[in-house]
Amino acid sequence: MLSDEDRIILAGGQEPWLGIIFDEVRHNFYVSESGSRFLIADLFCEYEGSRLGIGFDMILDDWRVEQTDNPKVVFRWGDIRLRAVGEPSEAFVRILQFTNDYSLKPLKKSKNLLCEAVALNSDPIKVEKEPFCCKIYFDDKSGLGYSAQLFFTIDLENKKAWFSEKDPEYNAFVVEWFKSLTSNIGCE
């Protein structure tokens, strides 16, 4: 359990889902020929005797800025791609499923999930030096009604990252979205 001070500093107040904090962050920055800057990262941790993991990628300099009436409040909209990183992702999904008894119709398997994200007063350009917190939207195009939201915090300077529950009623759907990645490991 994080102290209140740690939560404010590291997570902007968001509690890590099931207490899972990825504390091994392997990341690289990449600049494309067009000049866009990407963050590519694999996240790992030990949790209850299992090695858990997930990967994500995001373009850092392509987020749309939305100003509000309050100059201290700025929204940034962009995309985050989630992907499996082998057995650690399978273990991550098993932990999520074990702690929540869900039996939903499975989603179509996918190599990665491209999700829209919105950040409030977090700037992806500054992710190297400042924690970045956003809300990820899992957009249900399957017609199954699995739309969901989840918070995601990345703190590269402290080598930590975690997901935080948005609303408990989304949990079953979020698990299905993560599950859609895991049985497709190794596909071309």
Side-chain angles (χ1 to χ4, degrees):
M1 179 76 81
L2 291 175
S3 71
D4 286 345
E5 182 180 13
D6 285 343
R7 189 177 308 109
I8 291 167
I9 292 169
L10 297 176
Q14 302 300 326
E15 189 74 30
W17 194 16
L18 302 177
I20 298 171
I21 299 175
F22 297 98
D23 56 7
E24 183 183 334
V25 179
R26 300 177 186 170
H27 70 281
N28 287 303
F29 293 96
Y30 170 76
V31 178
S32 69
E33 288 181 16
S34 67
S36 292
R37 192 161 177 251
F38 292 82
L39 169 60
I40 300 166
D42 294 338
L43 313 172
F44 300 97
C45 70
E46 296 297 324
Y47 182 81
E48 295 182 356
S50 296
R51 182 163 173 79
L52 311 184
I54 194 79
F56 77 93
D57 313 313
M58 67 181 192
I59 299 175
L60 300 176
D61 52 8
D62 192 30
W63 289 57
R64 179 177 53 86
V65 176
E66 181 182 324
Q67 297 289 343
T68 65
D69 293 338
N70 182 341
K72 294 180 180 181
V73 177
V74 177
F75 292 99
R76 288 179 174 82
W77 294 85
D79 294 318
I80 291 181
R81 182 176 60 190
L82 300 171
R83 55 186 165 68
V85 291
E87 174 55 33
S89 293
E90 299 275 354
F92 180 47
V93 169
R94 281 194 300 273
I95 293 290
L96 295 178
Q97 284 185 295
F98 179 74
T99 57
N100 302 284
D101 185 24
Y102 303 127
S103 54
L104 297 172
K105 184 176 179 179
L107 291 164
K108 181 182 172 190
K109 301 304 176 192
S110 177
K111 281 179 70 170
N112 58 64
L113 298 173
L114 184 62
C115 303
E116 185 175 39
V118 61
L120 171 62
N121 296 333
S122 278
D123 188 345
I125 295 287
K126 299 177 182 178
V127 71
E128 286 181 86
K129 298 292 180 196
E130 295 178 9
F132 176 76
C133 186
C134 64
K135 182 169 44 172
I136 296 175
Y137 295 89
F138 296 90
D139 185 19
D140 182 24
K141 294 182 177 126
S142 69
L144 295 173
Y146 290 4
S147 293
Q149 300 173 20
L150 186 69
F151 290 110
F152 182 45
T153 300
I154 309 155
D155 184 354
L156 291 179
E157 194 168 52
N158 290 301
K159 297 182 180 168
K160 296 186 185 313
W162 59 90
F163 296 98
S164 303
E165 185 179 72
K166 166 65 171 76
D167 293 308
E169 61 265 20
Y170 289 136
N171 291 354
F173 303 138
V174 170
V175 170
E176 281 303 314
W177 283 107
F178 281 123
K179 202 164 103 179
S180 75
L181 292 172
T182 58
S183 296
N184 208 35
I185 294 170
C187 73
E188 298 301 319

